Amino acid sequence: MSRRVVRQSKFRHVFGQAAKADQAYEDIRVSKVTWDSSFCAVNPKFLAIIVEAGGGGAFIVLPLAKTGRVDKNYPLVTGHTAPVLDIDWCPHNDNVIASASDDTTIMVWQIPDYTPMRNITEPILTLEGHSKRVGILSWHPTARNVLLSAGGDNVIIIWNVGTGEVLLSLEDIHPDVIHSVCWNSNGRLLATTCKDKTLRIIDPRKGQVVAERARPHEGARPLRAVFTADGKLLSTGCSRMSERQLALWDPNNFEEPVALQEMDTSNGVLLPFYDPDSSIVYLCGKGDSSIRYFEITEEPPFVHYLNTFSSKEPQRGMGFMPKRGLDVSKCEIARFYKLHERKCEPIIMTVPRKSDLFQDDLYPDTPGPEPALEADEWLSGQDAEPVLISLRDGYMPPKHRELRVTKRNILDVRPTPGPRRSQSASDAPLSQHTLETLLEEIKALREQVQAQEQRITSLENMLCELVDGTD
């Protein structure tokens, strides 16, 4: 009798586990807006969640260690006049986050390391250029201060956040609403999906579509696409019979998918989260109560089903921790932040290993917080791979780094001589906004100290009264 050969893979036994109850974040009113973004963004310092807010749009930012019940008066980030639709942490500064809203604006925020006393209402920068709601944000993976936004006006705008300028505007490529946008690993190309059922690969600096595939999935539901580490594309959608699918594509030959996996007939849009270090893609459906994961390899059948993490509660959204935020001592290879109606629950993916030593094969060098290029260098045509770091000794997030915006004088229209390198945060002058921010922080800390002194005085008085009473 022939024995079935089991495929060898170090990720064959990856298993997911929900964190203990005291490690969750309770009493958060997660946004009820009907929009297919993940509603959650996370980095090695902070967890950000879009929340319900009266009279505008808001999100909450919690230090990762602040688990448990969240005070109902905990300060929010509020500034938008309509619901927030997407948020994204800057990959090169863990204290900077961008938010996009139904009010057509994008706001860039500096989050302090200390807990603010009141709502953060003043962004560092407000970007205005879209004529309809802005629903998608994505930072450039290797260039400093480059942010992409996509709006209901079917336009993609690429901004230099360091100067507040529009670098590029892609206006005539998409005839309908854009559903997803993804950079490739070095930020040279974009993959987009659109309501017209077409998957496009775009060179943003040339403003050209390099390759496209009409109807990669036959069904009517929105598509999603992400680049793999070797430049292929993973797309999610559904078949004509409403079966949800995962497809792997080679952009050099868009006729047929390299591999196609069919799953179930659930309604939720599948959000793909791809980890280039392990070449695993995790599929989280909105409204599902499970996370499926697949390993992508270079030999047939190319897409290998690994396992499914299941729980009882459906997910409203999902945050995906960058690799540098994981606990390497526990062989953790991925961590999700699953949104419920009133809480956020971490889900940890681990590879069981007996040894306590650092596992080189699980943790290749991974993109760190340093950018490889300035914005102007990227715009002029340069490309660079991400600057990698080792996780052997774990990762410690750097201290608070100020994002300084140096707005150019738009009234001075004289051409700048030769290619200009954008100012980095270290050599930019202190802006008026920075001074105001520092004064605000000093004021807030003084008020904190004052409140503590009043509390001490009150407690001393109570103590005196108790002592007098016992006498």
Side-chain angles (χ1 to χ4, degrees):
M1 200 170 82
S2 66
R3 280 168 53 199
R4 184 164 170 263
V5 177
V6 176
R7 187 180 71 89
Q8 287 296 311
S9 168
K10 58 189 171 230
F11 300 115
R12 207 156 56 82
H13 299 293
V14 172
F15 72 98
Q17 197 168 20
K20 291 180 180 144
D22 61 349
Q23 294 300 304
Y25 306 81
E26 306 269 357
D27 261 10
I28 297 168
R29 294 188 307 146
V30 177
S31 173
K32 293 186 172 73
V33 174
T34 52
W35 185 253
D36 286 331
S37 80
S38 55
F39 285 9
C40 180
V42 62
N43 71 16
K45 276 188 176 182
F46 299 107
L47 166 68
I49 299 166
I50 302 174
V51 293
E52 286 287 288
F59 59 98
I60 191 168
V61 177
L62 299 166
L64 278 191
K66 191 172 178 57
T67 54
R69 194 173 296 281
V70 177
D71 190 308
K72 68 175 188 301
N73 296 318
Y74 194 89
L76 303 175
V77 182
T78 61
H80 289 287
T81 56
V84 176
L85 301 178
D86 199 14
I87 47 177
D88 197 26
W89 287 104
C90 175
H92 306 127
N93 187 336
D94 287 341
N95 292 80
V96 171
I97 189 169
S99 59
S101 168
D102 219 331
D103 65 11
T104 77
T105 66
I106 299 118
M107 292 183 177
V108 180
W109 307 85
Q110 181 98 36
I111 306 298
D113 283 337
Y114 64 86
T115 301
M117 295 293 288
R118 57 178 72 83
N119 288 353
I120 299 173
T121 56
E122 287 293 318
I124 308 173
L125 193 63
T126 300
L127 302 171
E128 296 173 328
H130 288 282
S131 60
K132 291 187 179 173
R133 61 161 56 176
V134 187
I136 297 170
L137 288 176
S138 182
W139 291 89
H140 193 285
T142 63
R144 188 199 306 273
N145 292 341
V146 175
L147 175 67
L148 174 150
S149 62
D153 50 8
N154 314 338
V155 175
I156 290 175
I157 299 179
I158 297 173
W159 310 82
N160 181 350
V161 171
T163 60
E165 295 175 303
V166 173
L167 294 177
L168 298 162
S169 183
L170 308 175
E171 293 177 14
D172 301 320
I173 293 175
H174 300 92
D176 213 327
V177 177
I178 299 161
H179 284 149
S180 74
V181 181
C182 171
W183 296 96
N184 73 339
S185 61
N186 67 1
R188 187 174 71 84
L189 297 171
L190 295 172
T192 68
T193 61
C194 177
K195 198 176 178 181
D196 71 348
K197 301 283 176 287
T198 302
L199 170 58
R200 294 174 176 87
I201 297 177
I202 298 166
D203 184 326
R205 288 170 295 195
K206 291 180 181 168
Q208 292 175 351
V209 176
V210 179
E212 63 181 4
R213 174 70 163 81
R215 303 193 80 85
H217 301 273
E218 291 291 330
R221 290 200 207 111
L223 309 173
R224 287 282 187 280
V226 290
F227 276 104
T228 64
D230 61 358
K232 291 190 177 71
L233 274 172
L234 285 161
S235 67
T236 61
C238 66
S239 69
R240 198 170 287 160
M241 306 300 291
S242 291
E243 275 190 310
R244 295 196 294 185
Q245 297 175 321
L246 169 69
L248 178 67
W249 301 90
D250 181 350
N252 300 317
N253 179 13
F254 247 157
E255 287 305 306
E256 291 293 325
V258 177
L260 185 70
Q261 283 267 354
E262 297 205 326
M263 281 162 277
D264 56 19
T265 54
S266 185
N267 288 328
V269 172
L270 282 172
L271 305 177
F273 295 94
Y274 174 73
D275 173 17
D277 294 350
S278 60
S279 218
I280 293 176
V281 63
Y282 301 86
L283 303 182
C284 308
K286 275 211 145 184
D288 288 11
S289 53
S290 62
I291 302 171
R292 290 182 182 80
Y293 38 108
F294 299 82
E295 187 179 358
I296 314 301
T297 60
E298 292 179 1
E299 64 280 342
F302 305 106
V303 176
H304 307 268
Y305 170 74
L306 290 174
N307 210 334
T308 300
F309 166 81
S310 295
S311 56
K312 291 174 186 167
E313 298 268 334
Q315 52 231 17
R316 300 277 297 270
M318 197 68 82
F320 187 50
M321 175 67 83
K323 211 51 169 277
R324 55 198 171 90
L326 303 180
D327 187 345
V328 297
S329 66
K330 293 181 179 163
C331 294
E332 181 183 19
I333 63 159
R335 192 188 312 153
F336 291 91
Y337 286 77
K338 173 181 170 175
L339 300 185
H340 301 243
E341 198 170 327
R342 299 280 303 188
K343 74 171 182 177
C344 176
E345 175 186 47
I347 292 164
I348 294 151
M349 301 284 179
T350 45
V351 176
R353 293 278 167 97
K354 288 177 182 172
S355 170
D356 291 336
L357 299 174
F358 178 74
Q359 306 292 313
D360 295 84
D361 60 328
L362 295 183
Y363 302 105
D365 288 357
T366 196
E370 286 305 313
L373 292 171
E374 297 298 332
D376 288 4
E377 292 172 335
W378 176 78
L379 187 62
S380 69
Q382 292 186 45
D383 290 311
E385 295 303 316
V387 178
L388 304 180
I389 57 168
S390 169
L391 296 178
R392 178 172 290 277
D393 301 315
Y395 171 77
M396 279 299 294
K399 284 276 192 309
H400 178 100
R401 289 193 299 184
E402 191 81 32
L403 169 64
R404 291 179 187 151
V405 177
T406 315
K407 288 203 173 180
R408 295 180 187 168
N409 182 359
I410 56 171
L411 299 175
D412 184 2
V413 292
R414 289 171 298 177
T416 51
R420 210 182 68 80
R421 186 183 164 101
S422 77
Q423 284 184 311
S424 67
S426 57
D427 57 14
L430 273 171
S431 66
Q432 184 66 27
H433 181 90
T434 308
L435 292 172
E436 286 169 9
T437 307
L438 288 171
L439 288 168
E440 276 290 314
E441 287 183 20
I442 291 166
K443 190 176 167 189
L445 288 168
R446 277 201 179 123
E447 285 173 5
Q448 260 178 309
V449 170
Q450 215 171 346
Q452 299 286 2
E453 284 173 347
Q454 286 172 352
R455 180 75 179 137
I456 290 167
T457 307
S458 162
L459 290 169
E460 283 174 342
N461 291 339
M462 285 168 67
L463 187 63
C464 289
E465 283 171 20
L466 283 169
V467 170
D468 292 346
T470 53
D471 289 348

